[in-house]
Each structure stands twice: as structure tokens, then as C-alpha cells.
Amino acid sequence: MFCVQCEQSQRDGCSAAVGNCGKTAAVSDLQDVLLRVMLGVSVFAHRAAGRGVSDEAIDAFTPFAWFTTLTNVNFDEDRFVSWIAEAVAMRDRARAIAEANGADLSDLPEPATWTPGAMKAEILASAPMAALNRYMDRDGPTIVGLRNLVLYGLKGCAAYYEHARVLSRSDSAIMAELHAIAAFLATDPTDAEALLGQSLKVGDLNLKCMEMLDAANTERYGHPEITHARISPKAGKALVVSGHDLGDLEEILKQTEGKGINVYTHGEMLPALAYPGLKKYPHLAGHFGGAWYEQQREFATFPGAIVMTSNCLIDPTLKGYQDRLFTRGPVGWTGVSHLPTRDFSAAIDCALALPGYGEDAPEETIPIGFARNTVMSVAGTLLDMIGKGEVKHLFLIGGCDGARRGRTYFHDLAVATPKDSLILTLGCGKFRFNREDLGDINGIPRVLDVGQCNDAYSAIQIAVAVAGALNVGVNDLPLTLAVSWFEQKAVAVLLTLLHLGITNIYLGPTLPQFLTAEALAVLVEKFSIRPAGRVEDDLKLMLGKAA
């Protein structure tokens, strides 16, 4: 096992029997094998695309398979064995399509021909061929780190694409780009400049994936609107939905209508409470808990059923709630009930059998729903406030959170920001400070919740629109980005920001372990990425930029 894909990884990579996320060495190795075979799938899909041909089945399986390998998604060895078999079959299918359409199948890289075996023992024995540090001695840590930057960015792209795909959105051109970058990785490239160039292509690709997901969400559920979301429970049976999949939440709301079950969001599902098409359900009762890494403590006290729709799962057996936890889509834990379709009757029956909340708690709310449509509807007011000096600085503070001690940086930064500044926030990083009363400016809350991590798209559109109205570049705005990175979705968003030429991003609480000092130096030189430091020192620099 060698894994260094997320911020909670050990400095030299997780290499013990169990990683810091809870996955076993076997799961880690199986994930590596699956990805290696999927690179081979993309080799043939890319060559078929060169002949103007794509395949719906391949383009549906690819983002799903990549998604299963993200941090805190799936920990079930047997499911990975079955997915590897499916990936090999998909590779054969892609080869046949490419060959039938006259594609050049010469000079194939190893992932296009390598066979890992069929039985679990065979696959695990072959796993060293797929290890991400396999060529460390040959190519050095900088090249391996840059390859992983592209790989992890592609994982984030695949996850956002999959979120849109399950809402019936797809785009063969986007998938062709993903296959092209994956086919490049399949050659185990050693050119640092080429790898940096591909990483920016990943950023461009991720922007398209986030745009497609934004359209999928807003066309189905309407644009988020300012909502005072309840964060205290109501009396009644209870079911909590965590993750990111709004389609699963919608189906749960439909299937629980009239059954006396209050449905709660958790983690990155909080923004769902601002969508008109979802909040129309009266039994969507509010939000439960905070960020994903607190789920073991929180779910242990929740008196109802729990549905995990996407990444963020932590070992439920340590706190004993595995019998009332249900997983969906790419998510899984050995021994935990998995729902293969959007039939949630098992979770609903579980919720009905549990006590739920005995009484209403005192009502508490937080304001959400400040996505791009909401903010741009008051753009004139915002620009006027900037022009008058009533708003002197804009901060974007958010991203993927985690349990590491240094993450208090983002709370402390938010609290320390001047009273004449506004804070845009998104992702689960907002739970560090979204219950703090930081006041308002002329009735506009200083903390504006833009949405999920993928709603970085909304934040980008807001920044671009404000810059355009002021006739300046985004980097000339009184704007500071403080990004909390944790896993591969955050890597994809970071690459999108770099693709757009946005500089002076504060990144923390630590810089990615998979990048060497030399590789980081390149990013710092090209994009002025700044490691998060002392809040007091960083804030002076941030505000000095606007002077």
C-alpha cells in the first residue's frame, strides 16, 4: 500500500495495514489496479475518439469507476474486485470499437495490455504493477508528484461529472477530453513541462464538469434562493442524507411523503435546503450536524436512519451505527447495506422503526443560498457598496475540510476579517465558521454561503462578473482566496483556478504531500501559491494586496 492522495495522508504516504482514512492495504491496492486498467480503457477510447466514435457505456462507467477511488468513498474489497473485472471488459469493448473504426492500435502503453488477473488473490499479487510510486527510483519524486497532480485532478473531474451524470446529464466531448488526459497518463510521462500543461488542461476540463453539474442542478431544482435553514431538530421520525447527490435526496423526499418522517441534510447536502425544487417538500426539516469528519460522533447520537450518497464515509462500526447506515452509488463499506437503485424502502423502514426525536428543539437557523444568481441579482448594490468603500475586500474562504489541528486557520481567518469585508464560502470548510455571528453590511450578511464544493463554479462566475463590471482583471479585485484542500475534488478546483490564471491563492492547512518541494516551487513561481501561515501575518498580506 502506498497512498498520498489526501491531506490526512502521512508525510511519506500511508503504507501501513490501514490508511488514515480507514481503508485497508488491500482496498488501496485494488483501487490502484482499477485506475491502472481504467487508464487502458481511456487509451482505446481516446483512439476511437480520434475516429469520431464514442460509446455511452464506456463513458458512463469511466467517471463512476474513477469516483470509487476517491478518499472516503468505498472500502469494500469485493466490490472493487467486481469493478476491476468490469473495467477489463470495458477495455476489451473500447479496443474492439477502436479497431472496428480503423484506429491505429500500434505502440500501446502498458495499461492498455496489462492483465491483473480475475481472482482477488491474483489481483492483489499484481498490484505492485499499478502502485503510484512504482517508478519513484527511475523517474524521481518530482515527476511522480506531477503525474499524481494530474491523476488526482482527474479524479475530482470524474466525481463532478458523475454527480451530473446521475442527474441525466452527459457530454461526449467532455469525456473525450478526460480520455485524452488519461491516455497521456497511461504512457507514464516524464516531461515536467508537459505534465504541468496537462494539469492546466485538467483545470479547464473541471470547469466544464462543474458548469455541467451546475446546469443539471439548477435546471431540475431551480436556482438556490436565500433561505434561513433550520439547524435544530423537530419532533418525529428522522432520516438524514449525507454526501452530494441531490437526485438521491429528491427521491428520498418523494418516497417519504406522508410517512411522518422528517428528512435532514448533512455535510455538503446543506445547500439543498436552498433549492426551490427541494425545499418545497415540507418534511425536508433542516440540517443536522457539521462537517463530514464529525460524523462518527454525530451519527452515533442521531435517532434515525442514515443514507450516504457520495464521498465522506468514515468507519461506522467504531460507534455502532452500521445497522442503520445505507450507502448509494459509488459508496460502500463491507457489511453495510448498499442500495443499488433509488429504492429507499429499506432506509425508510429503518427510520420508521427507530425512535426519532421526541420533541422540537429551540429553533436555530443559518442563512444559505447565496449562489451566483442570488448574488448577481444584487450586483448593482454590491458594486455600489464597493465603489463607496462600504465593502473594501472580498474573501473566498472554504473548500474541503478535515480533522487536522491546523484547520482552525480558516475559522480564525474568517473571524479576523475586517467588518467592511464580505466572505464567500463553499464546501464543508464553511462549517468552521458558518454559525459565527460576523454581522452584516447594509443588511447583507458578511458570510455568504455559495453552496457545495462544486459551487466553486458559482464563486468563479461571481468574481468574473464583478471584475468585468469594474473593468479590471480578477487578480486586480480586492479579492483573496483562502482554500482549504483535503482531497481530489479540491485538487481539481485548485487546477481550475490556476487554469483561469488566478494567483496569490492561500492554500492550507498544509500543502499537498504528493508534490515534492521542487514541484511546489514551480507552482509557487508560476502562480504565486502561498502556504497558509499565521493568520495575523497572512491577513496583513491579504489586505495589503488591496491597498
Side-chain angles (χ1 to χ4, degrees):
M1 173 181 182
F2 171 79
C3 185
V4 70
Q5 69 181 9
C6 72
E7 194 266 343
Q8 68 188 350
S9 301
Q10 298 167 11
R11 181 61 199 172
D12 296 322
C14 290
S15 57
V18 179
N20 286 346
C21 67
K23 69 182 175 185
T24 64
V27 166
S28 179
D29 288 347
L30 291 168
Q31 289 178 347
D32 289 348
V33 170
L34 176 60
L35 278 178
R36 191 75 174 168
V37 176
M38 291 308 300
L39 292 181
V41 173
S42 287
V43 167
F44 293 116
H46 174 54
R47 297 194 184 192
R51 305 293 295 177
V53 180
S54 62
D55 182 78
E56 288 186 11
I58 292 169
D59 286 354
F61 180 70
T62 296
F64 175 85
W66 281 71
F67 195 175
T68 65
T69 70
L70 266 71
T71 305
N72 294 109
V73 176
N74 199 292
F75 302 79
D76 191 326
E77 294 178 17
D78 291 340
R79 287 178 72 191
F80 277 107
V81 171
S82 67
W83 288 329
I84 289 167
E86 189 170 357
V88 171
M90 283 292 174
R91 189 177 64 183
D92 292 342
R93 178 187 180 100
R95 178 172 190 141
I97 291 170
E99 189 171 29
N101 287 277
D104 179 8
L105 298 186
S106 63
D107 194 26
L108 292 172
E110 180 186 88
T113 58
W114 174 61
T115 301
M119 304 300 291
K120 184 191 296 186
E122 294 175 314
I123 296 171
L124 290 174
S126 71
M129 294 286 288
L132 301 184
N133 61 343
R134 174 184 171 194
Y135 292 120
M136 188 70 75
D137 290 340
R138 186 191 75 181
D139 300 336
T142 297
I143 293 300
V144 171
L146 289 174
R147 282 202 294 256
N148 287 340
L149 176 64
V150 178
L151 180 74
Y152 298 156
L154 270 186
K155 284 191 182 191
C157 291
Y160 288 139
Y161 187 97
E162 178 66 9
H163 286 317
R165 191 188 69 82
V166 296
L167 289 174
S168 301
R169 296 296 292 252
S170 60
D171 189 319
S172 59
I174 289 178
M175 283 306 303
E177 291 183 44
L178 191 152
H179 289 309
I181 298 171
F184 167 80
L185 278 180
T187 65
D188 298 310
T190 58
D191 185 318
E193 284 299 317
L195 284 162
L196 282 170
Q198 290 291 317
S199 70
L200 295 183
K201 286 186 178 181
V202 171
D204 181 30
L205 176 63
N206 187 59
L207 182 62
K208 296 171 184 174
C209 291
M210 291 193 298
E211 181 180 20
M212 184 172 70
L213 176 55
D214 177 89
N217 286 334
T218 56
E219 289 176 14
R220 180 173 292 201
Y221 306 117
H223 285 275
E225 50 193 30
I226 298 174
T227 303
H228 290 276
R230 184 179 176 116
I231 56 173
S232 51
K234 294 181 178 181
K237 302 291 185 178
L239 189 155
V240 67
V241 185
S242 190
H244 305 75
D245 193 329
L246 301 187
D248 277 358
L249 175 61
E250 178 188 30
E251 195 56 40
I252 288 171
L253 289 168
K254 289 179 180 179
Q255 293 179 31
T256 51
E257 279 189 295
K259 295 183 184 288
I261 298 175
N262 288 323
V263 176
Y264 298 87
T265 58
H266 174 266
E268 290 230 44
M269 276 292 192
L270 169 62
L273 298 168
Y275 284 93
L278 295 172
K279 70 178 190 176
K280 69 181 182 182
Y281 293 92
H283 59 300
L284 181 58
H287 187 77
F288 170 80
W292 66 272
Y293 63 88
E294 298 178 310
Q295 69 184 252
Q296 287 175 321
R297 173 181 58 82
E298 293 173 346
F299 288 170
T301 68
F302 185 73
I306 305 155
V307 176
M308 295 293 303
T309 69
S310 64
N311 55 309
C312 295
L313 179 63
I314 306 177
D315 185 356
T317 65
L318 293 181
K319 295 292 185 178
Y321 53 84
Q322 66 272 19
D323 291 342
R324 50 191 176 88
L325 176 70
F326 301 83
T327 61
R328 270 285 298 140
V331 192
W333 191 281
T334 303
V336 168
S337 295
H338 183 74
L339 306 175
T341 69
R342 282 183 168 153
D343 176 1
F344 292 98
S345 55
I348 292 169
D349 290 344
C350 179
L352 290 170
L354 292 166
Y357 288 103
E359 60 182 7
D360 289 352
E363 184 173 2
E364 297 179 68
T365 64
I366 53 175
I368 64 171
F370 295 92
R372 72 179 193 285
N373 244 39
T374 299
V375 175
M376 296 319 299
S377 70
V378 295
T381 301
L382 176 60
L383 293 170
D384 186 56
M385 290 165 65
I386 293 174
K388 291 179 178 177
E390 294 170 336
V391 173
K392 293 183 178 177
H393 205 86
L394 300 172
F395 291 88
L396 191 152
I397 305 175
C400 302
D401 202 5
R404 192 182 289 264
R405 193 174 304 170
R407 289 186 178 275
T408 56
Y409 173 90
F410 299 96
H411 166 272
D412 297 344
L413 175 62
V415 171
T417 56
K419 301 298 183 185
D420 56 5
S421 63
L422 293 177
I423 301 171
L424 302 175
T425 188
L426 50 85
C428 57
K430 61 174 164 265
F431 290 106
R432 291 281 174 177
F433 54 84
N434 68 342
R435 300 189 189 200
E436 298 276 5
D437 183 6
L438 299 184
D440 64 82
I441 303 176
N442 295 345
I444 297 178
R446 287 194 53 234
V447 178
L448 305 177
D449 186 343
V450 178
Q452 294 183 343
C453 57
N454 52 279
D455 289 313
Y457 175 78
S458 259
I460 290 167
Q461 296 306 310
I462 291 169
V464 169
V466 171
L470 295 175
N471 200 30
V472 299
V474 172
N475 289 324
D476 298 315
L477 286 173
L479 169 68
T480 297
L481 284 77
V483 178
S484 170
W485 92 275
F486 180 78
E487 45 81 68
Q488 298 86 73
K489 287 181 176 177
V491 173
V493 171
L494 175 64
L495 292 177
T496 293
L497 296 174
L498 299 184
H499 156 71
L500 292 171
I502 296 174
T503 60
N504 294 301
I505 300 169
Y506 289 76
L507 188 65
T510 61
L511 295 180
Q513 293 97 314
F514 56 82
L515 288 176
T516 62
E518 295 86 352
L520 281 170
V522 173
L523 295 180
V524 170
E525 178 185 353
K526 286 181 175 290
F527 304 105
S528 300
I529 288 178
R530 299 174 181 268
R534 292 180 67 249
V535 167
E536 297 82 358
D537 297 335
D538 287 351
L539 189 56
K540 289 178 182 177
L541 290 171
M542 293 170 182
L543 297 175
K545 175 187 172 185

